[in-house]
């Protein structure tokens, strides 16, 4: 007659080992999931910025290629050298600032698309502004390996402002652009302005000069005090032979997100007909 052998139970030590292995496995899965989530978030932010820069480059190109001719007396082409200060303000007309501290401003008159369905002759201004509602989009802070702040830099939004002709004075473009129903297009505090791109560190404008190279705006050939193409001043006939800006280069430095430290440079060259 065979004796029944008692089944051996699980010891407390074995349970503890199993629990430890389970915790290690869960922790590993959590780390992998967290890394995958962070990668997805970064890539999504990067794609968003790339899309904004691509769209801004396309709009800038379309606007410049629709420029009113320089010999009509109706153009008002202005390129202003802007230097970004440590406090985030931009000083126009100053020297320097052609790289990571460029905050240039570009103004001109053009026939271009002002909405999805409307084309008008307007005055366009491209400049940098800081976010008035989101503090996270105003400053990028960088830290060293100890976690101490080593540098902070202001961030900007690339703004495109449109101005329509004054009905009582065709030489002035000082009215908001409106659609067929009379509503202001891209209404920003009563002006026709909208944001093209976020997380900009600099916006640099250069032009193709007579020496067949791109020159910085130091000095500008057409400052705000003497626009090019308006038929007056020192840089328009009869004071000087007729001149036009054949090409403009726009260079933008952006980051993927306010929490990212990777700077990326985008350049667009535009031929002006």
């Amino acid at each position: 007659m065979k004796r029944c052998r008692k089944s051996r139970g699980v010891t407390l030590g074995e349970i503890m080992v199993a629990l430890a292995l389970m915790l290690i496995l869960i922790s590993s899965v959590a780390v992998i999931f967290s890394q995958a989530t962070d990668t997805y978030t970064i890539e999504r932010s990067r794609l968003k910025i790339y899309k904004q820069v691509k769209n801004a480059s396309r709009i800038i190109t379309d606007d410049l290629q629709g420029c009113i001719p320089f010999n009509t007396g109706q153009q008002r082409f202005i390129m202003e050298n802007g230097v970004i200060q440590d406090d985030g303000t931009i000083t126009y007309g100053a020297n320097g600032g052609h790289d990571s501290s460029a905050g240039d401003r570009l103004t001109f008159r053009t026939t271009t698309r002002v909405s999805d369905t409307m084309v008008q002759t307007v005055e366009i201004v491209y400049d940098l502004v800081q976010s008035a509602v989101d503090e996270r989009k105003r400053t990028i802070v960088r830290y060293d390996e100890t976690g101490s702040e080593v540098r902070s830099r202001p961030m900007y939004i690339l703004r495109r402002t449109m101005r329509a002709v004054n009905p009582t004075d065709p030489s002035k473009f000082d009215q908001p652009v409106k659609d067929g129903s009379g509503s202001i297009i891209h209404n920003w505090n009563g002006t026709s302005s909208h944001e093209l791109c976020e997380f900009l560190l600099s916006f640099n404008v250069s032009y193709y000069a007579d020496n067949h190279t791109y020159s910085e705006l130091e000095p500008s050939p057409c400052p705000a005090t003497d626009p090019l193409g308006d038929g007056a001043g020192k840089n328009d006939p009869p004071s000087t032979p007729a001149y036009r800006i054949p090409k403009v280069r726009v260079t933008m430095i952006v980051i993927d997100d306010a929490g990212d430290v990777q700077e990326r440079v985008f350049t667009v060259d535009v031929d002006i007909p």
Side-chain angles (χ1 to χ4, degrees):
M1 187 174 182
K2 295 183 179 180
R3 294 181 179 180
C4 264
R5 299 180 59 186
K6 294 182 179 179
S7 60
R8 180 175 175 272
V10 180
T11 65
L12 179 61
E14 290 172 332
I15 293 176
M16 296 298 292
V17 170
L19 287 175
L21 292 175
M22 184 178 299
L23 287 175
I24 293 174
L25 179 61
I26 293 175
S27 299
S28 300
V29 172
V31 169
I32 294 173
F33 179 77
S34 176
Q35 291 176 343
T37 301
D38 291 344
T39 300
Y40 171 76
T41 301
I42 292 173
E43 290 301 322
R44 186 176 61 178
S45 298
R46 184 172 298 163
L47 181 61
K48 176 185 175 182
I49 295 299
Y50 287 178
K51 185 177 180 179
Q52 287 185 355
V53 172
K54 183 178 180 180
N55 182 59
S57 300
R58 177 186 60 79
I59 293 175
I60 292 172
T61 299
D62 291 345
D63 286 347
L64 283 170
Q65 289 185 340
C67 266
I68 295 175
F70 291 94
N71 60 357
T72 62
Q74 301 299 315
Q75 181 56 269
R76 191 172 180 270
F77 202 96
I78 300 172
M79 296 186 293
E80 299 173 86
N81 190 60
V83 181
I84 296 174
Q85 307 300 322
D86 291 339
D87 62 358
T89 59
I90 300 177
T91 303
Y92 292 105
N95 294 329
H98 305 308
D99 43 28
S100 59
S101 59
D104 297 347
R105 182 163 55 195
L106 180 62
T107 304
F108 54 94
R109 292 176 179 176
T110 179
T111 301
T112 189
R113 188 179 298 278
V114 298
S115 69
D116 292 338
T117 59
M118 292 183 64
V119 174
Q120 289 186 24
T121 298
V122 294
E123 186 172 273
I124 298 284
V125 181
Y126 285 98
D127 62 357
L128 296 182
V129 294
Q130 288 197 291
S131 175
V133 295
D134 191 346
E135 182 65 29
R136 197 179 72 93
K137 296 180 180 180
R138 293 174 60 89
T139 307
I140 175 175
V141 181
R142 291 176 174 170
Y143 304 90
D144 60 16
E145 60 275 5
T146 66
S148 301
E149 180 179 330
V150 293
R151 188 185 183 191
S152 62
R153 291 181 62 185
M155 292 188 300
Y156 298 88
I157 297 167
L158 177 60
R159 177 176 62 180
R160 176 182 183 250
T161 301
M162 302 180 295
R163 302 175 183 141
V165 66
N166 189 312
T168 61
D169 187 353
S171 66
K172 296 180 179 180
F173 283 71
D174 56 7
Q175 303 296 307
V177 180
K178 299 180 180 180
D179 59 21
S181 64
S183 299
I184 298 176
I185 298 175
H186 302 305
N187 192 343
W188 183 338
N189 297 326
T191 65
S192 298
S193 303
H194 64 292
E195 303 173 357
L196 290 183
C197 187
E198 300 173 322
F199 302 122
L200 262 78
L201 298 179
S202 75
F203 179 74
N204 187 71
V205 178
S206 55
Y207 67 100
Y208 198 72
D210 291 335
N211 60 0
H212 304 294
T213 60
Y214 281 97
S215 296
E216 302 294 348
L217 307 181
E218 191 177 333
S220 171
C222 43
T225 55
D226 190 9
L228 182 62
D230 63 348
K234 295 182 178 179
N235 59 13
D236 279 290
S239 299
T240 186
Y243 177 71
R244 57 183 291 272
I245 303 293
K247 296 181 182 180
V248 167
R249 171 174 289 173
V250 173
T251 303
M252 295 173 280
I253 300 179
V254 302
I255 57 173
D256 294 337
D257 188 84
D260 198 355
V261 297
Q262 183 66 47
E263 298 179 6
R264 304 183 187 278
V265 181
F266 297 88
T267 300
V268 56
D269 294 339
V270 184
D271 291 312
I272 302 178

